[in-house]
Amino acid sequence: MTYQTDITSLASLIAGNGAPWQAIDAEAATRMRAQNRFRTGLDIARHTAAIMRRDMAAYDADPAAYTQSLGCWHGFIGQQKLIAIKKHFGTTKGRYLYLSGWMIAALRSQFGPLPDQSMHEKTSVPALIEELYTFLRQADARELGLLFRDLDKAREAGDEMEARRLEHAIDTHETHVVPIIADIDAGFGNAEATYLLARRMIEAGACAIQIENQVSDEKQCGHQDGKVTVPHEDFLAKIRAVRYAFLELGVDDGVIVARTDSLGAGLTKQIAFTREPGDLGDAYNRFLDCEPVAPSDIGNGDVLITRDGQLMRPRRLASNLYQFRPGTGEDRCVLDCITALQNGADLLWIETEKPHIGQIGGMVSRIREVIPNAKLVYNNSPSFNWTLNFRQQVYDRWATEGRDLSGYDRAKLMSVDYDGTELGQEADERIRTFQKDAAREAGIFHHLITLPTYHTAALSTDNLAREYFGEAGMLGYVKGVQRQEIRQGIACVKHQNMAGSDIGDDHKEYFAGEAALKAGGADNTMNQFAA
């Protein structure tokens, strides 16, 4: 329905209700409808799930069509990200939001800052999803409000061509509402707990839920030590729980991202149940670090399994956890990924210790021997020292090529002294093209940075504090912030508008007509930024 046909439809409705509705303006109501396109979180989840499915199909046809996101810990941060994307690139296509459990734990828990160990309130996850979409919907309302005001000006000036152009812009307006890939950690409990939380997340608007194969009550950040995985059947029950939540709520295209932490996890809490040699439980148990044991050597409390007809004792730690054989991480990752895709997952996430295309691509190639269209979501993590990693990768490649490395110290490649060198420049170029190269060579459909806005908040605050509390004083803010906002066209320089003041004024006029007491008059200091 176009802007004009919606006005006509509402005008008919209003007229049909007679005198009691005579003060209702059809165009004003049409504008409010347009500014509130998505009525519920489920509307958002269905809309964004369809976007992701189209993007996944586009990537299958052409790996250059990969997607990206940045992690956001507040609705305002997500809103400003999407406003910036539309400003710089003209479209939100291929750009998502990521909701990081790490940032919820560190920044959104009522307990204060917490490590990424699933100790934060589980309800804080759907609460942040809802908050993000509230701010994105407000960005739509604000942008459309500006178009409505320009339309009124064009009509007042008698500029019919400009009015038609603006009506077309309203009809074809692209929403700021984009998919969120939302982190449910390891499910915050058993499969039923996973289902209940997934349902709340979907109701808040999530179309894609990422779940990991760690033990829920032993969960660790993927880039820390001490990770403990669960047998496949336990993880698959949670994948099914998420799928049931999607289907129950009518989000049939909902996306499940199955994350494996097996590359860096050397422990399991359980020995898998197995019925016969070669089944999934047996495959999991074969990775256990075991020693042969004779009946006479069985000790008190020993746990024993059989392997190929031989009695074996898995190595059990004082924590009552069992140890995997060293060097089996990649093999376990491959099995995890194939099993997840064969049992309802749509995308994979392999948590790695470094950003190395060869390592990632090697595992994906093995997975694709079984699942040819397997695709990854990849964490371009701030936990990696990107500069050092890529300089070392270039150094090692040069070494195999026999190039002269006498001017470089591998242990000190992070030094600023190497910034302008050929090695430093080649490493930077490989960082620049990493996402494109990894999409083509390692099956990565979606690149994300988990914690970027955590770091940008810290960096920008540090810079402002240094200048404002130092010799620069107020100039530290004016030169470093406000002047940059003005010159770079940052919409937030008009912070009253961004906070919804103009939307409120429009509503006051709709509701009270000429009697409306509006904030945006001649004495509003925001007028200083009109030039």
Side-chain angles (χ1 to χ4, degrees):
M1 186 175 289
T2 67
Y3 182 65
Q4 285 298 333
T5 57
D6 200 22
I7 292 172
T8 301
S9 174
L10 277 172
S12 176
L13 175 65
I14 291 165
N17 280 276
W21 282 31
Q22 64 183 354
I24 303 298
D25 181 79
E27 185 161 15
T30 295
R31 291 179 175 187
M32 294 177 75
R33 273 190 177 182
Q35 289 172 307
N36 190 28
R37 172 182 172 183
F38 299 99
R39 307 296 193 268
T40 69
L42 289 176
D43 289 342
I44 291 171
R46 295 184 188 106
H47 171 77
T48 53
I51 291 173
M52 276 198 76
R53 291 291 179 175
R54 288 195 297 270
D55 287 347
M56 290 161 66
Y59 174 82
D60 286 339
D62 179 7
Y66 63 91
T67 56
Q68 300 167 292
S69 67
L70 296 173
C72 297
W73 54 272
H74 192 279
F76 176 74
I77 301 296
Q79 178 197 61
Q80 294 306 300
K81 187 188 97 167
L82 268 298
I83 288 173
I85 287 169
K86 287 193 74 174
K87 181 183 78 171
H88 292 298
F89 305 105
T91 180
T92 62
K93 182 173 174 55
R95 282 95 176 190
Y96 303 168
L97 288 175
Y98 179 67
L99 185 148
S100 161
W102 191 102
M103 285 206 287
I104 292 178
L107 298 170
R108 300 300 300 258
S109 173
Q110 293 183 19
F111 295 107
L114 294 172
D116 184 18
Q117 297 173 3
S118 289
M119 295 190 292
H120 54 279
E121 309 88 328
K122 65 174 69 177
T123 52
S124 61
V125 183
L128 180 53
I129 296 170
E130 184 175 4
E131 177 181 294
L132 283 161
Y133 280 128
T134 296
F135 274 80
L136 295 185
R137 290 162 67 192
Q138 195 261 7
D140 281 355
R142 172 188 166 273
E143 192 168 74
L144 283 164
L146 294 173
L147 289 172
F148 296 148
R149 288 181 171 220
D150 288 343
L151 177 59
D152 291 340
K153 290 176 184 177
R155 287 172 176 171
E156 289 169 8
D159 191 341
E160 187 176 335
M161 183 175 293
E162 176 65 1
R164 284 202 300 269
R165 185 193 70 79
L166 287 163
E167 286 187 15
H168 178 72
I170 292 164
D171 288 338
T172 59
H173 176 261
E174 182 183 42
T175 178
H176 295 81
V177 169
V178 298
I180 287 178
I181 297 176
D183 184 0
I184 199 172
D185 284 3
F188 286 85
N190 60 19
E192 174 69 5
T194 301
Y195 153 75
L196 291 171
L197 181 54
R199 192 172 66 181
R200 287 287 301 275
M201 293 167 69
I202 298 162
E203 288 171 339
C207 72
I209 293 178
Q210 164 216 329
I211 187 165
E212 62 200 53
N213 69 337
Q214 291 193 49
V215 174
S216 184
D217 61 355
E218 301 282 358
K219 185 256 188 300
Q220 296 279 6
C221 171
H223 294 283
Q224 291 189 303
D225 206 353
K227 294 184 289 296
V228 184
T229 62
V230 296
H232 294 102
E233 287 297 346
D234 294 39
F235 188 51
L236 298 181
K238 293 185 177 183
I239 288 177
R240 287 190 289 270
V242 176
R243 180 63 66 202
Y244 273 112
F246 274 127
L247 294 174
E248 176 187 356
L249 295 171
V251 185
D252 299 346
D253 288 339
V255 177
I256 298 174
V257 181
R259 168 176 146 179
T260 173
D261 284 277
S262 291
L263 191 62
L267 302 169
T268 182
K269 197 168 188 175
Q270 300 164 254
I271 296 173
F273 176 75
T274 175
R275 290 184 174 84
E276 58 186 37
D279 67 10
L280 194 55
D282 183 58
Y284 187 82
N285 292 340
R286 283 183 178 274
F287 292 117
L288 292 172
D289 190 4
C290 299
E291 59 181 351
V293 58
S296 59
D297 294 331
I298 297 174
N300 182 55
D302 274 356
V303 174
L304 305 174
I305 64 172
T306 58
R307 181 181 290 169
D308 299 326
Q310 188 170 14
L311 200 61
M312 308 289 287
R313 178 164 48 211
R315 298 190 187 279
R316 186 167 57 164
L317 307 183
S319 59
N320 211 33
L321 301 172
Y322 298 93
Q323 188 171 296
F324 289 115
R325 285 182 285 116
T328 61
E330 288 198 9
D331 291 340
R332 285 183 282 127
C333 278
V334 170
L335 179 59
D336 293 343
C337 290
I338 292 171
T339 303
L341 291 175
Q342 288 176 333
N343 288 273
D346 302 292
L347 296 169
L348 303 171
W349 174 317
I350 300 175
E351 196 77 312
T352 66
E353 81 284 5
K354 59 183 180 292
H356 194 289
I357 293 175
Q359 177 196 40
I360 306 162
M363 288 185 280
V364 171
S365 293
R366 293 172 61 189
I367 296 164
R368 284 183 165 177
E369 290 175 4
V370 181
I371 314 287
N373 68 337
K375 294 178 282 296
L376 261 64
V377 171
Y378 187 70
N379 177 10
N380 292 236
S381 177
S383 294
F384 303 145
N385 185 330
W386 286 77
T387 301
L388 182 61
N389 266 288
F390 276 82
R391 287 181 180 182
Q392 288 178 341
Q393 287 180 36
V394 173
Y395 182 98
D396 293 342
R397 186 171 62 79
W398 284 11
T400 61
E401 294 171 355
R403 295 183 57 169
D404 180 14
L405 293 167
S406 58
Y408 302 97
D409 182 342
R410 193 180 188 280
K412 298 179 179 178
L413 287 176
M414 188 62 203
S415 171
V416 68
D417 296 339
Y418 296 124
D419 285 3
T421 64
E422 183 183 358
L423 185 147
Q425 291 170 351
E426 181 174 330
D428 281 354
E429 177 62 13
R430 293 179 68 171
I431 293 171
R432 187 186 71 80
T433 64
F434 173 79
Q435 294 191 345
K436 178 177 67 175
D437 296 341
R440 183 183 64 251
E441 300 172 21
I444 297 176
F445 157 72
H446 185 79
H447 284 282
L448 62 89
I449 308 177
T450 43
L451 322 175
T453 52
Y454 177 89
H455 292 281
T456 55
L459 178 61
S460 61
T461 303
D462 181 87
N463 290 337
L464 176 59
R466 182 189 65 232
E467 297 299 318
Y468 176 72
F469 294 107
E471 289 298 318
M474 190 58 194
L475 182 61
Y477 172 77
V478 172
K479 186 178 180 180
V481 180
Q482 190 180 77
R483 196 175 295 169
Q484 296 304 314
E485 287 181 302
I486 294 169
R487 291 178 177 171
Q488 294 180 38
I490 306 298
C492 265
V493 73
K494 299 181 182 180
H495 49 258
Q496 306 286 15
N497 168 270
M498 185 59 66
S501 180
D502 290 344
I503 295 172
D505 276 358
D506 292 339
H507 290 173
K508 291 173 186 176
E509 188 171 347
Y510 301 160
F511 306 155
E514 293 181 358
L517 184 63
K518 297 191 288 186
D523 293 332
N524 190 318
T525 58
M526 286 289 100
N527 295 330
Q528 298 173 24
F529 298 92

